[in-house]
Every structure is written in structure tokens, then in C-alpha cells.
Amino acid sequence: MIHYFEGQLGHTFVIIAFVTSMLSAYAYFKGRNQDKEWTTFASKIFYVHVFSIIGIIGTLFYLITNHYFEYHYVFSHSSKLLPIYYQISCFWEGQEGSFLLWMFWNAILGVILIRTNNFWKAPVMFVVALTQVFLASMILGVVIFDIKLGSSPFMLLREVIDAPIFKTNPNFIPEDGNGLNPLLQNYWMVIHPPTLFLGFATTVIPFAYCIGGLLIGKNKEWIRPALPWAQFSAMILGVGILMGAYWAYETLNFGGYWNWDPVENAIYVPWLVLVASIHVMIAYKKSGSALKISMILVVASFLLVLYATFLTRSGILGNSSVHSFTDLGLSGQLLIYLLVFIALSIAFIVKRWKDIPSTKEETSPYSREFWIFMGAAVLCLMAFQVLAGTSIPVYNQVAELFGFELNMAPATDTYSAYSLPQLILSVLLAILSGTGQFFWWKKMDGKKLKEELRTPFLISLVISGLIIVIGKITEPYYVILLIACIYSIVANSKVFIGIAKSNIKLSGGSITHIGVALMLVGILFSSGYSKILSTNYTSMVWSSEFPEEVNKDNLLLFINEPRQMDEYSMIYRGIRKDTREDGFVDQNELTPTINPLKVVRKSERGTDTLTLINPENSYFEVEYHTEEGKQFTLFPRVQINTAMDMIVYSPDIKRKVNADMYTHVRTFPDPDQEPDWSEPQEIKVKIGDQFFINDYVATLERMEPVSNVEGTPLSSGDIAVKAVINLQGEYKDYDAEPVFVIRNKEYVGRIDDQVNDLAFRVSIQNILPQENAVVLAYQTTQKDWIIMEAVKKPWINLLWIGTFLLVIGFIVAIRRRYLEFVRMRDKGVEA
């Protein structure tokens, strides 16, 4: 039965959200000059808008969690096997859900703005509501005069897919959905997208204050309320980006956390510009200079978020990114969204340009403004450098519009294209962040600056020298970056100690800069000095389909055969399934049941029914042994997703204080492919005899009758006997139990038994009662194997510690700026 009502309810909520966003935007515009009547009306309408968004979200969650696969969005992104936390991820996997998430955060932020800032309510909320108009239009899903406006998440499957089944059976509902992309089946994908979209949403607030200020002629007053929001936005967006990096580190198989993918770059660029805008806004608050630059950077950071949205959702990056969205036919709408806000921003800035105050004095190199401008300039340069390369597909498209072909190809050497230029600019950034902080809390001249810098500089050289010698750092670029980062850490630490003695509330900047420098050191070591432990010294090529470096950096491991790798001895133990009751369990011990989530395990303790945690996943158990006798086990993952025709490998990581041991499997034998068995070999044995099968010592323990044979119903005249054969493996014993069936005293059936770990199967060919013996036949095949890479990533924890400090620094700074705004607001200064 198709659940029409739920979909129609959801679509009604979408229409309400769209209409109320337009109404509230109009009403806020009318009330921009403190018209209470219009503003109150607009706020009421906006609350209806918020309610309708919650209605959309609730309805979509209801469809997903109840597995209503007649809806295209639910069918495309969910399945019955997904745990509830991944069903939540299904919500924002698709474009429609991600736009909805963005709308939700905008709505929540709008409510906060309505309730915290009465004076700025109307002009700021006008801009916020206007963004909601465009976001709501993206999920409207209507066609007006043959123009498609948005894509609704409440479309029925038959309305989207033109499949023959719907012509014969319009009410056809699939039994199950496609499920969640295996790459997104990670706990970071439950929390990373909401964080990132909160970051997206927050960028509209400083933008809204800026445009709102220009709208009502408060050309400079907008800075104070906008600043804490800009800091909050930079913090959340930064955390969201780093969560994505950590997800890539834990889930993807490229061996790192950043791959300069266009989708990654698209959100890194606005974050850099946003951070630059914060610094310039602070400079304006201190000295009254750089108001115009503040405006331009604040506006640019929001427009770059819209540009990133256009890049990732228009399909324009389809050939250059591994994880951009496909075009839902909304690229034109996205472009209009971007162009409208560009035009709106330019129009307001141009209109007020002459009225915007500016300073004509030259900035002294011994002033805080100089160092802040330099830092902001470097941040913008970093952003431009990445943006220029990432936009290559856009250049090609624009050229096509004008009738000629550029055919520019995105860079394949990401080190030269991105890493090296960013590394060089990071050196400048570290030096500026270390030196500029001294101007922040003290007045400086040349002599005093030298005195202040002398000690940090000397300490930095000593520490850097020790690290360079101990860490054997020889690459000149890395040496320079390390010295610059250590200098930034030491200099900012000195500033922090000085500030903490007087007023620790002012220490946000120094903490943040220490965090950034630590992150750079962590990136330097973990990326620049990663050590491949699984180097292939055999000169064999594992696969001609692998790139050369993959064949060179990966090892072949056969099951239960130790392999020496650097200081570790490694043993591959076989494939495991993750169970709720007993953790990782040998796959060979498990028998499937009708319920795909339940399996039966037969062991010495008896028979257990176990529950699988995500049955689509399998895990390779790999033991590591050190020369000191220590041991740890890793479980890199594979998921063979037939619905999406994907095989996804994800690494497992052993985390230590000074390094991560990063392990992931490249490939393993196709589980659906029948192995090549050797010709059968027969052997006659008696009970208690020892013999060899595939070089393993075997003993025929006993022969015993059986009354039930799995998969073979026995009648009253049938006789079934099994041989119990014990085999001594490298690390444990196995039992093989082939069965011999005599039906109606005439027909013979042989049911072999297979021991996968020892790569053989055995059957009973004949029973010789007169000799008290049996004839066994066994065949061997290739032992189970994996090809895997192991990488040691030194000091990667500095990257994560630096991230933590970055967040702490932002929190301290946000609190300070917000309290400052509240004090001024309560005094009525903002009005």
C-alpha cells in the first residue's frame, strides 16, 4: 500500500516553508527601519516557517525509519539493514536532505537572532529569510511553465524512475532500498554533515549584518554584533572541515586525511577568507581602519560558500571529484542563487561606498594593523591559489558558453599544484602569527620588538635544531616550515603567559595561533614523513591494474603465515564478522539464517544465535607482533555492496602517542569466485591413523553414524556416516567432518567438508568395514590471502591536539566578543 498522505503532508510543509520565507523576507524588509508592526508580523511568519521546516524533517524521518520505499528519496538512500544511526545519515546523504539540513540550521539561527538582537532584527533577518527563499525553492519540486523548480524529497519512485514495472503495476513497492553509500557508513558521517552545514549556515550571519547595515545606513556599526558570529562560524566550519578530514582518514583508502579533492577545496577556500575577515574586523575595531576590506571579505566568505555549493551540486565537478553530487537538473537554479546574492552584495556596497569611512594614513610596520593585514593577505592568497586550480572545470564551461574550447585539465600532481604552494604560504602565516601577536597587547617600536622577539627566536632555534636532528628532517621546505611553526608556538606561548597573568579572557588569539602552528607541525610529520612499512621487496607485481606505487607499497599475506615487516611480524588470521554479542567472529564458524541480521555459530560450547552489526561489512583480522613481545590486532573493513555495485575498503588504525599504525587492504580473493581445486588425491586410513593433508598433520579420530544431514533429508532406509578428522593448523586445531550417505542400499552420496583456513576439502570415497578403514579423497587450493598496505604516521596527534586548541581559542575569543557586544547593546550603543 502506498502511503500517499505522508508524502503529501511533507510536500505541503515544503510549500508552506517556501511561502512563509518569502512573506517574512518581505515583511522584514518593510520593517528594516525599526517598524515594530512589520517586524512583529515578520517574526510570527518566520516562526511558522520554522515549524514547517520541522514538519518537513519529521515527515522525511518518518518515511525513512518506516522503510517507505515507494518514495524515491527513501529507496535511493536507505535500506532495512541499516542501523538507526545510519538511517539518520540517509537523511542528508542526498541533495534534497542536505539542503533541508542547511535550511534547518538557518531557521534555528534565525530564531536566535530574533530573540537576541532587537535593533538589528529586521535588516538582518531580511537577508536570512531571503536565503531561506532560495533554499526552500531547492526542495520545492514543482514545474512552472516547463521550468523545474527544485527537487522534492517526497516524490514517488514511479514519478522519478521510468521502469516497465510501473506500467504493469503502478503500486509496485520494492522490498528494500539501495541503502547508504558504503563510504558514508562511518560514525563521523552521523555528526560531520550537521556540523559542516551549521558552519555553512552561520556564514550568512556576518554577511546579513553587513548587508543589513548597508541597507539601513549603519555602515560601520554592524561590525560589533557580526564579529562574534564570524568567529563562531569560523570555528564551526573549521571543525566541520576537520571532521571530514578525520572521516577520510578513517574511511577512505588513499591513506590520508586530505587529498585536495575539488569538493574538499571548495569549502576550505571560504574558511580561509572568513578567518581573514575576522582579523580585519578586529583591526577595524581597534583602529577604525579597513572597514571596506572587512565588508568585502565578509561578503566574499558567504559568496564563496554559495560558489562551493554550486561547484559541488551542479555536477560541474563530475569528472574531477570522487564525491561531488550529481546534477539533479538544478544547476541553473544554483547559478541564479549565486548570481542574485553577488548582484545584491555589489549593489549595496556600491551604493554606500562613498559613505563608508576609510583611513588615509599609511600603516606603520610597527603597528598591529600592518601585521594583521599581512596575515589576512596571506590567508586570501592561500584561498585564491586553491580556488584558481579548483575552478578549472568552470573555466572550461564558461569558455564553452562563448563558443570555444579550453579543455584545461585539473592538476594530477597535487603536491606541486596545492601542497607545495600552501606549504610556502603556511611558513609566512606561522611567522606572521608569531610576530603579530606581540603588537596585540603592547605598543612596539623597532628596539622593543627586537627585545621581545629575541628570546622566542633563540628558543625556537634550539628546539627546532633538536627536532631536526632527532627527527632526521632533511627536506629544506620542511625544515623552514618546522622552524616557523616552532617560532609561532614559542612566541604565542610567551604572549599567552603574559596575557594570562593579567586577563586570560584576552588569550583567545594566542591559543588559536598555537593550535594552528601545532596543526601544521602535525601535518608536516604525518604527511611528509609517513613511512611505508609494507614495502614489496619481491619485485612481483600484485596486479597490473594497480598503479606502480601501489604494487611497490603493498604486501601479500597468506592466512596464518607470519610475515616480517620492519619491526613488526604480521599474521593475517582470516575474515571476521562483527557481532553484537561476541565482537569479531570467524566468518567460517557462522551459518546464515533467514533473517540477514542473525547468524548461527557452532562451537565447542554448543550453538549460539548471534546478531550481526551491519551484515554488509566484513573485517580482515591482522595481528601485529613486536620484537619486545607486544601484540595488537587491527580489523580493516571491506563492504561488497551489490546494490550500488561497489567494493569499498576502509582502514583500521592503531593509535599511539607518537604515531599511528595505519593499515588497509587493497584486495582479496573474490568470495563469489569458485576456487581452483587440485586433482583429488585418495588415501586409505584407519581410525587413529595420522596422515598429511596439504602439509598439515591429520588424524582420523572416529567414524560415527548421523541421523540428520544438513540440506539432505534422510529417509528410513538411508544410512549416513561421518568421519571426524582432526587437523593441526599453525595456531589451532580444526575438525573436518565429511559425510557418506547410502540410500536404499544402492545409491551413494558424498558430502565433502571444507576447511577454508587450511585451503582443502575432503570427502569419504568408500568405507571398507572388512579392513576397518575408509578411503578419503582430498583436494587443495590456494590459501586465503590479502594484499595490504601498512603505513606509520608519526606525530599525527599534533594535528588533532592543534585542532582542539584552535577550538578552545575560538571559544575564548567568541565569549569575549559576545559579552562585549551584549554590554554595548544593553547600553543602547548599538541603536
Side-chain angles (χ1 to χ4, degrees), residues 807-819:
V807 172
I808 296 292
F810 265 120
I811 290 173
V812 173
I814 292 166
R815 182 177 182 276
R816 175 194 170 196
R817 298 296 176 185
Y818 183 71
L819 292 177

Side-chain angles (χ1 to χ4, degrees), residues 691-722:
F691 53 102
F692 289 93
I693 298 180
N694 205 17
D695 295 334
Y696 294 100
V697 176
T699 304
L700 177 60
E701 297 280 352
R702 60 186 181 276
M703 299 287 294
E704 58 183 50
V706 291
S707 55
N708 294 305
V709 178
E710 189 174 338
T712 305
L714 298 178
S715 59
S716 58
D718 294 345
I719 299 172
V721 179
K722 75 175 179 182

